[in-house]
Amino acid sequence: MRIIYLLWCIFAALAGVFFIRYPNRAISIQQKFYARINWRIEPISFSKEIRNTRIMGIVLLCAVLVAFSLFRACPN
């Protein structure tokens, strides 16, 4: 069970780094996904969407750090 938790932390950390470094690609992937399920999404302000995607990546990395510190603190 601990290995699954650790793998999720690693996956989330990589996703956070991806959102910070490549916000344009993250937005593009999201648009392609929604187009496949018959929805068209476009940001009203692309610069704000880039900023918000980077902020989301930072928040995700912070959450991973907290989760990993709790993982290390568990006695099991």
Side-chain angles (χ1 to χ4, degrees), residues 9-76:
C9 285
I10 292 169
F11 175 74
L14 291 174
V17 170
F18 180 77
F19 293 157
I20 293 168
R21 292 198 55 183
Y22 307 107
N24 291 338
R25 283 188 67 193
I27 294 167
S28 174
I29 290 169
Q30 183 183 17
Q31 287 175 328
K32 288 177 185 175
F33 169 77
Y34 278 99
R36 292 184 68 114
I37 58 171
N38 203 30
W39 282 83
R40 183 177 304 131
I41 60 169
E42 293 183 22
I44 294 171
S45 171
F46 206 74
S47 62
K48 285 183 181 179
E49 187 64 27
I50 298 269
R51 181 197 67 201
N52 291 342
T53 302
R54 283 195 172 122
I55 290 170
M56 182 174 57
I58 292 168
V59 169
L60 184 57
L61 277 178
C62 291
V64 167
L65 290 176
V66 169
F68 189 70
S69 68
L70 292 174
F71 171 76
R72 303 253 329 187
C74 289
N76 295 346

